[in-house]
Amino acid sequence: MTGAGGVGAHAVGEDVVLTFVRPDGSVGQRHPLRVVADDGTRLLGWLPVGTPIVGSRLVDGRTLREAPLAERFRVPRVPVHDVWRGTSTLRLVDDERWSSVWWFFAGDGTFTGWYVNLEIPCGRDAHGPVRIDGVVDVVVEPDGTWRWKDLDEAAAAVEAGRLTQTQLERLRDEGRRCGELAERGAYPFDGTWTDFRPEPGTPAPRVPAALLRDVELVRDVET
């Protein structure tokens, strides 16, 4: 089956890369995923905690959270080597939706809740889905209650020209749609995949070396 941009579905067990780009098309972050399912339009992928990723920092070396809100979307960013922290995630990325849904799992495999990462879809490239992060997100508890996250950051992103007001309104519409699904206990918030466990001994997914060349250069400059 052929997905967006003529890119076909990826095989189960294959490594793909979820790429977040900025509005100018430059790469922001790259998250490798191990394919659990993919029909060419909807991809379900696994990203365990501790997996190496391409992250981003402000050009002066600060993390995003270390910068005052007024600076977070105005200071240029650079790609850096990083690892996925916090919790392991199973992610459902739909090429046609302005969101991806993440299942969060604790270290012992216990499901702890969902995270709706609001995003602007940009199709797929040869490595996997390409998205623009929408800044604002939705947190969904296991009981289906939900709340907004980072509304203040989204407002700052609009003020800085990182997002348009029209884009933010559509992202918030998508967030409300997902929140309503969660309230009803409808898919993907119906318990599906909450018992997911990767096969024992499965190695972490990897970002292909070809996609790390610019990151290597940045690391060399920073040291």
Side-chain angles (χ1 to χ4, degrees):
M1 183 177 293
T2 302
V7 178
H10 295 276
V12 173
E14 184 179 350
D15 288 353
V16 300
V17 179
L18 170 60
T19 299
F20 291 100
V21 297
R22 304 185 183 96
D24 64 4
S26 61
V27 172
Q29 297 197 19
R30 296 190 192 272
H31 297 175
L33 305 174
R34 177 67 43 76
V35 175
V36 176
D38 186 16
D39 65 4
T41 299
R42 293 202 305 176
L43 168 72
L44 187 68
W46 175 244
L47 175 58
V49 67
T51 298
I53 66 169
V54 176
S56 63
R57 286 181 178 262
L58 302 184
V59 71
D60 58 16
R62 290 178 295 173
T63 66
L64 188 65
R65 298 296 181 184
E66 289 173 337
L69 187 58
E71 297 180 18
R72 290 180 192 174
F73 301 98
R74 298 182 183 276
V75 178
R77 303 180 192 184
V78 292
V80 294
H81 291 275
D82 205 343
V83 298
W84 183 252
R85 297 180 174 85
T87 59
S88 297
T89 64
L90 185 67
R91 302 188 184 185
L92 178 64
V93 185
D94 189 324
D95 294 346
E96 299 177 357
R97 293 291 185 189
W98 281 46
S99 64
S100 62
V101 178
W102 304 1
W103 286 252
F104 280 1
F105 296 89
D108 64 358
T110 302
F111 170 71
T112 60
W114 296 272
Y115 192 84
V116 180
N117 204 59
L118 297 169
E119 305 162 354
I120 301 171
C122 302
R124 297 188 183 198
D125 62 17
H127 300 283
V130 180
R131 326 278 281 184
I132 295 174
D133 184 72
V135 184
V136 63
D137 302 302
V138 167
V139 176
V140 181
E141 302 295 341
D143 65 2
T145 57
W146 65 281
R147 59 182 171 83
W148 293 104
K149 183 176 182 293
D150 296 333
L151 285 171
D152 57 341
E153 282 201 51
V158 170
E159 185 176 348
R162 168 68 167 70
L163 295 171
T164 68
Q165 187 63 40
T166 298
Q167 288 172 330
L168 179 57
E169 290 171 2
R170 181 162 179 180
L171 290 162
R172 294 195 63 173
D173 285 345
E174 176 68 3
R176 281 188 286 269
R177 183 189 72 85
C178 291
E180 291 169 359
L181 290 175
E183 289 174 354
R184 301 201 308 268
Y187 184 81
F189 309 103
D190 60 350
T192 303
W193 295 111
T194 56
D195 60 351
F196 175 79
R197 299 290 187 278
E199 290 292 330
T202 301
R206 295 188 302 174
V207 177
L211 299 182
L212 296 175
R213 290 170 184 159
D214 291 341
V215 185
E216 295 287 347
L217 290 174
V218 170
R219 185 181 64 180
D220 290 344
V221 169
E222 291 182 335
T223 54

